[in-house]
Structure formats: C-alpha cells, structure tokens
Amino acid sequence: MARKKIRDSDDGGASWLVTYSDMVTLLLTFFIMLYAMSTIDAQKYAAIVASFSKEMNPEAYYQQMEAEKAEEEIIDSNIEPEEIDDIDVLYTLLKQYIDENELSNQVQLNKSKEYVFIRFSDSVTFRGYSDILEQRGKGVLDVLAEGLVLVDEYIEEVIIAGHTAKVEYDMTDIDRSLSTNRANVVLKYLENKDVIDPSKYLAIGYGLYSPIADNSTSEGRAKNRRVEIYISRKGYPISYTKIIQDTINNSKANDNDLKYRRETYIE
C-alpha cells in the first residue's frame, strides 16, 4: 500500500520573515529614539557640510569663506575704543579696597573718561613733617599697583603731586623739599613694584602753593597736607588745572574751601 505524502504547510517556509521584520522594526525604532534624544553639534555639522561643499564645488566654497571673512572684518571695525573702558578696572579695584577698609574719609577717589584721580590725606600717607610712608598708605598703593599692571597699555602718564600747608612761621624752603620728597617716595614705592613703564611716572612737589582749604585753621591745614595721584588714559595728556577744577566740583568741599584756591587753577 502506497504511503500518503505529507504536504508542506503553505506558510511554514516564510515564518522566519515575521521575526526578522519585527527585529528590524525594533532596531529602527531604537535608533530613531536615540537620534531624537541627541543634540546636533552645529559646528561639527557645519564642518561636515563645508567639507562636502569643498569637494563638490571648491570655487563656491572659497568664495563663501572670503565673504564670511570680509563680514567679520566689517563687524570688528565698527567697535569703537570708547566702548571698552579699561581704566574702570583700576577705579573699581581702588573703590572696593577703600570701602572695605573704611578709608573714604582719608582717600578721595574720582574718575572721568580721561583719568583716575586719588587724593590721600596726610593721616594715610605721611605724619607731621615725615617723609616715611605710612602702612595704610602702602596698602592703597599696593592695590593701585595691582590695577596699573592690568591697564598699563591704556595709561598715558602717572603724576604724583606732594602738597604741604602754610603755617604762621616761614618754612617755605622746607615745605617745597618735603612735598617733593613725599612725591618721590610714593613714586619709588610704585616703581619698585615694576608694574608699568617707569617713564610714565612723574613726581612734583608743590609745597604750600596749592591749597584747597583755609590755612588759618587746623582743619584747613590738614586738608592741604596731602598727596595726589593722577592716572591719565592713553591719548589724554593730563591737564592739572582741569583735574583740580573737576575734583572741586565733585568733592564735598564747601564754598569756604573753594575761596582759598589759587585762581591759576581755575580755567
């Protein structure tokens, strides 16, 4: 008796395709999810596009590069130097130190677009008729040196002026020498810090001839005994009389103080 032949199932041979297609679908879904979670690095993407552009059309690529370079140069040329106020760094450092150490009554600080001005009372820098620098004065000068090294290239000059007060007895010669010595002591202290070109420093001794207050009172004489430092911005040579007038206008000095100023200081 002949054996009956068993027929193959109609779908048995293709059953593996179902599993394979499911796996491919899952993998595709997985990679789509990874792509959605990732971020595109714009610079790398631009570099890839640029490399393809260079290979496919080198002439157009180099033309685009030249155009971008020209655009950057135009943008840079529109930036004016006045927009970068570097001398503010110096002012900010000094202001912070003066406030933190409660020296605002002994150290006056002003600035404009042309200069930074510092006025030290004698209680901070020197005592009596001494030309030995006080420790508190050194502290302020140390901070000044830290600021000068940051803005050296933007500084025109640094003028240090020493002043004394007129007393009842004649000490004109001593006052002139003392004010000069004090200015030189401050200059030498800063110069030894080696923070800026030493040729930018200038020390001047005015003696008793630059009063800002009445010499007939002890309070007035205390104001007149002082050291002043003027740091001018590059391109703005210092006008001593202009700075004096500015500091008068910006200070808390009363009308009685102003009456005793020399007329030559008023432009």
Side-chain angles (χ1 to χ4, degrees), residues 81-89 111-113 233:
E82 288 295 327
E83 295 176 359
I84 305 174
D85 198 4
D86 302 276
I87 207 166
D88 272 352
V89 174
K111 78 176 181 71
S112 74
K113 70 175 184 178
R233 183 192 296 277

Side-chain angles (χ1 to χ4, degrees), residues 1-7:
M1 181 176 178
R3 298 179 62 183
K4 188 175 181 180
K5 187 177 180 180
I6 300 175
R7 296 177 59 187

